[in-house]
Amino acid sequence: MNKIMNKYNFWFFSSFVIALIVALPIITVFFSFFLETSNYFSILKNTFLFDYINNSLFILISVLSITFLVGVISAYFIAFYEFPLCNFFSWALILAFAIPGYIFAFSLIAFFENYGTLYSILTSVFGEYNYNPYIPKFDGILGSVISISFSLFPYVYVLTRSSFFFQSNNYIEVGQNLGLSEKETLLKIILPSARPAIIAGLALVAMECLSDFGTVSIFSVPTLTTGIYNSWLSFDDLNLANQISFILLLFILVLFSLEIYSRKEAKYHQPGRGFKPISKIKLSGKKSLLAVIFCSLVFFISFIFPVSQMLYWTLKFPKYIHDIDILKINLNTLYLVSLASVILVLISLFINYGNRISKSKILNYLTNFSISGYAIPGVILAVAFITLFSNLSDLINENTSIGSTKKIFIGSIFGLILAYFIRFFSLSFNGIKSSYEKINNSIDESAYLLGYSKIKTFSKIHIPYLKNNIILIIILISLEIIKELPITMILRPFNFETFATQAYVYSSQDLIEAAALPSLFLIGWSTILILFSSKYILSQKN
C-alpha cells in the first residue's frame, strides 16, 4: 500500500511541478497587471494604445478572412476533385509552413520597393525608364496582412482537407437526391460538417497572428506585440509590458470563448457504420483550368515567390556569404533544436506514462492544465519570463549572499530551453498522448502476466509502438523552434545567433540583402522537415 501511495505521489508531484512551471508566465502577467508603471503608461494610454488595439484587430480580422478563403478553397479542390497536378499540390501547398511571416515580409519589400527586384525585371525586359510610380507598394498594414496570411493559411488547409476526406459521401448523395446544386451542397452540407476543423485552423491562425512580432515590426506597424517589446526594451518598464500582454491574452480568451459559445450543443461526429468515402470528380475544360490556376497562384505566392527573392539577393550579393558565419549559425540552430526537442519528448513520454499507470483523474486535470503554454504568444512568454526571474533574483539576493541568479535563466541556453519547453510542451504532450491512447490497456496487462515490469513494458512495448510518432513530434517541434523569433531574440545569450535572429537583425538594420542567406537556410531546413512529415500530416488515416 505504501509503495502504491509513494508511486502515486511521485507521478502527482512530477505533473504538478510541470503544470506550475508552465502556468507561471500567465500568473506573472496577471499579477503584474496591478503593479505600478512608469509615466510612459499615461502617455501611451492617451496616444498609441488604441492604435495598438485597432491595428491588431484589423490585421486579425483581415488575416482570418484571407486564410479562410485560401485554405478552404484549396482544401475543397484537393479533396473533392481530380485535376492536373492535384497530387502535387496536395503536399506542395503545406510548404508555406516553411516561410515565416517576417521572411515573406523581406521578400515583399525587396520585390516592390523603389528600384527593387520588380524594377530590375521591368528594366531588363522593357528598357530604362522610371517605373517606380507604377509599381504597387505593399507596406504597412497591407504588407503585414498579406505576409501573415500566406504564411499561416496551411493551418486551415491541412485541417480542413483532412475533415473533407472523412465526410461521408452518403450525406452528399442525400443532398443531391433532394435537388441541391453543387454550390448548395457545399454551403449546406460540406462546410457545416467541416466546421470544427475550420474553426480549429482559424483558432491557430488567430493565436499566431496576434503573437506575430517580426512581420509587423519590419513593416513598422504599431500593434500590441510591438508595444510589449518597446515597453520592455525602449522604456525599461516590464510591468507595462505585462499589462499590454494582459490585454493581448484577453483577446485570445475572448476568441476561444466566442468559439465555444457558438458551438453550444452542436454535434459534428460521423457515424461509424455505413461510412462511404468521397468519390473524387474529374474536372475538365475551364473548371480544371480554374483549379490549376488557383492552386498554382497560391503555391507561387506562398512559397516560390519568397524563395526566389531570397535566392536572387543571395546570388546578387555574394559578399554576404563570406561576411556571415553560416556554419556557426547552423550549429547554433541545430544545437537548440536537438536539445529542446529531445527534452520535450522525454518529459512528455514520462508524464504520459505516469498518467497511464496511475489512472488518476486529478493527474489528468493537472497535465491538461499544463499544456496551456502553447496559447501564450512568444513575446508575452519572453517578457513574463524575464519579469518572473528578475523578481525571483531580487528576492533571493535580498535574503541571501548569493550573487545574481538572473543570469542562470536570462541570456542563457538553459533559460532559452526552459522557455521553449513552456511554449511547445502542448505540441509534444498531445502528440504523444494521441498515439498512447491507441495502445489498449490489455496489452500492458498481458505483458505483466508474462513477467514484464512496468519499465520493461514501457521500453520494450510502448516505445517501439510510439517510435514513428516520436519522430514526427521531434520534426514538428524542430520546425517551430527554427522559425521562433521573439523568444529566441529576447532570451538568447549575447552574440548567439540563429537563422531567425540573424535574418531579423539584418532586416532591422535595412540590410535586407544580407538577411537573404540566413533566411534561405531557414527555409531550406524547414522545407526538409516538412517534406519528412508531409506523408503523415496528409495521410487519410491520421
Side-chain angles (χ1 to χ4, degrees):
M1 185 69 180
N2 288 334
K3 285 184 177 180
I4 294 172
M5 287 302 297
N6 289 336
K7 209 168 283 184
Y8 174 80
N9 289 335
F10 172 74
W11 294 113
F12 182 88
F13 179 75
S14 302
S15 297
F16 179 79
V17 168
I18 289 173
L20 185 63
I21 290 172
V22 174
L24 279 175
I26 295 179
I27 296 169
T28 303
V29 169
F30 176 78
F31 282 108
S32 296
F33 184 77
F34 302 100
L35 299 178
E36 292 184 3
T37 62
S38 65
N39 293 330
Y40 177 60
F41 177 70
S42 58
I43 298 171
L44 180 65
K45 189 169 63 174
N46 297 323
T47 52
F48 302 114
L49 183 59
F50 288 104
D51 287 340
Y52 289 164
I53 295 172
N54 291 335
N55 289 341
S56 296
L57 280 175
F58 181 82
I59 291 173
L60 175 64
I61 293 168
S62 303
V63 166
L64 287 176
S65 302
I66 294 173
T67 52
F68 171 78
L69 289 173
V70 175
V72 171
I73 293 172
S74 301
Y76 179 67
F77 279 140
I78 298 297
F80 289 99
Y81 298 105
E82 190 176 328
F83 54 91
L85 299 176
C86 65
N87 290 330
F88 166 76
F89 288 126
S90 68
W91 60 266
L93 292 180
I94 67 172
L95 291 179
F97 270 135
I99 315 291
Y102 51 87
I103 289 181
F104 198 101
F106 305 156
S107 309
L108 212 57
I109 291 171
F111 191 80
F112 290 103
E113 68 180 349
N114 288 338
Y115 305 104
T117 306
L118 181 56
Y119 179 89
S120 300
I121 293 171
L122 293 173
T123 302
S124 61
V125 174
F126 300 106
E128 292 291 335
Y129 184 73
N130 183 19
Y131 299 103
N132 290 322
Y134 306 100
I135 295 175
K137 298 295 181 288
F138 295 94
D139 51 12
I141 289 181
L142 178 60
S144 299
V145 168
I146 293 172
S147 300
I148 297 171
S149 298
F150 280 98
S151 66
L152 296 182
F153 86 88
Y155 282 118
V156 180
Y157 163 70
V158 169
L159 293 173
T160 305
R161 176 188 176 278
S162 176
S163 178
F164 284 164
F165 272 124
F166 280 98
Q167 287 191 19
S168 176
N169 206 39
N170 295 338
Y171 296 153
I172 297 173
E173 288 177 354
V174 168
Q176 291 171 345
N177 292 334
L178 291 173
L180 295 180
S181 65
E182 196 172 320
K183 181 181 177 182
E184 289 173 330
T185 302
L186 171 65
L187 296 177
K188 294 183 178 181
I189 296 177
I190 295 173
L191 287 182
S193 298
R195 181 186 180 280
I198 295 172
I199 293 297
L202 291 174
L204 289 169
V205 169
M207 283 194 295
E208 294 290 339
C209 178
L210 285 172
S211 65
D212 179 87
F213 167 72
T215 310
V216 292
S217 178
I218 288 165
F219 284 111
S220 300
V221 178
T223 62
L224 288 168
T225 49
T226 58
I228 293 166
Y229 190 78
N230 291 334
S231 299
W232 166 66
L233 193 65
S234 302
F235 297 92
D236 195 25
D237 193 338
L238 279 173
N239 289 339
L240 177 57
N242 281 301
Q243 289 184 354
I244 302 175
S245 298
F246 188 80
I247 297 171
L248 191 52
L249 280 175
L250 284 178
F251 273 25
I252 294 171
L253 181 63
V254 168
L255 282 172
F256 277 113
S257 300
L258 286 173
E259 196 280 318
I260 292 169
Y261 177 77
S262 67
R263 274 187 297 169
K264 293 185 178 177
E265 299 300 319
K267 304 292 182 184
Y268 299 93
H269 62 274
Q270 297 283 358
R273 293 181 180 179
F275 177 82
K276 190 175 180 181
I278 296 295
S279 300
K280 282 194 173 187
I281 301 170
K282 190 169 184 177
L283 294 179
S284 59
K286 290 182 179 178
K287 289 184 177 180
S288 176
L289 184 62
L290 176 65
V292 172
I293 289 173
F294 181 83
C295 292
S296 298
L297 277 174
V298 173
F299 177 59
F300 176 81
I301 294 171
S302 63
F303 186 75
I304 299 297
F305 167 68
V307 170
S308 302
Q309 182 59 62
M310 294 300 105
L311 194 59
Y312 171 74
W313 280 120
T314 302
L315 296 175
K316 188 175 180 179
F317 297 94
K319 65 175 183 177
Y320 292 115
I321 298 175
H322 305 292
D323 294 344
I324 300 172
D325 191 349
I326 203 67
L327 177 60
K328 185 179 179 182
I329 298 173
N330 264 287
L331 291 174
N332 287 348
T333 304
L334 294 177
Y335 173 64
L336 283 179
V337 163
S338 57
L339 189 60
S341 58
V342 168
I343 290 173
L344 274 161
V345 167
L346 286 176
I347 295 177
S348 298
L349 282 168
F350 175 79
I351 297 300
N352 270 291
Y353 181 64
N355 283 353
R356 184 179 180 86
I357 64 173
S358 66
K359 298 177 182 178
S360 165
K361 289 185 178 180
I362 296 175
L363 211 54
N364 275 325
Y365 292 143
L366 279 172
T367 48
N368 285 333
F369 177 69
S370 71
I371 65 175
S372 60
Y374 196 67
I376 308 171
V379 68
I380 294 180
L381 177 58
V383 172
F385 199 86
I386 291 172
T387 306
L388 173 66
F389 288 106
S390 294
N391 294 338
L392 186 63
S393 178
D394 293 340
L395 183 65
I396 291 172
N397 293 339
E398 280 181 12
N399 298 288
T400 66
S401 58
I402 300 173
S404 176
T405 56
K406 197 189 302 184
K407 294 177 181 177
I408 300 173
F409 299 99
I410 302 170
S412 68
I413 296 295
F414 176 76
L416 198 52
I417 297 297
L418 183 58
Y420 287 152
F421 171 79
I422 296 170
R423 179 80 167 89
F424 302 119
F425 179 66
S426 169
L427 178 62
S428 177
F429 177 84
N430 281 331
I432 301 294
K433 183 181 178 182
S434 64
S435 284
Y436 237 133
E437 289 176 345
K438 296 175 185 176
I439 305 177
N440 198 306
N441 285 320
S442 62
I443 294 175
D444 293 20
E445 292 166 5
S446 299
Y448 300 151
L449 290 173
L450 291 171
Y452 276 44
S453 65
K454 286 184 169 57
I455 298 300
K456 194 174 180 181
T457 302
F458 175 70
S459 60
K460 299 291 185 181
I461 297 176
H462 295 175
I463 293 296
Y465 183 87
L466 297 169
K467 183 179 68 176
N468 290 336
N469 197 52
I470 289 170
I471 293 171
L472 175 69
I473 295 302
I474 289 174
I475 289 172
L476 294 179
I477 293 170
S478 301
L479 182 62
E480 291 281 2
I481 292 173
I482 285 175
K483 297 192 297 179
E484 176 59 43
L485 179 62
I487 291 177
T488 314
M489 189 78 188
I490 294 172
L491 297 177
R492 66 195 164 118
F494 177 73
N495 206 27
F496 185 93
E497 302 292 354
T498 64
F499 298 130
T501 61
Q502 187 69 78
Y504 178 78
V505 167
Y506 278 131
S507 68
S508 62
Q509 296 171 353
D510 290 328
L511 293 171
I512 297 179
E513 302 89 344
L517 184 61
S519 299
L520 208 54
F521 269 89
L522 188 154
I523 293 169
W525 279 112
S526 299
T527 301
I528 291 169
L529 292 172
I530 289 169
L531 290 175
F532 270 119
S533 60
S534 61
K535 186 177 180 181
Y536 182 92
I537 292 172
L538 297 178
S539 173
Q540 294 178 32
K541 295 179 182 179
N542 293 290

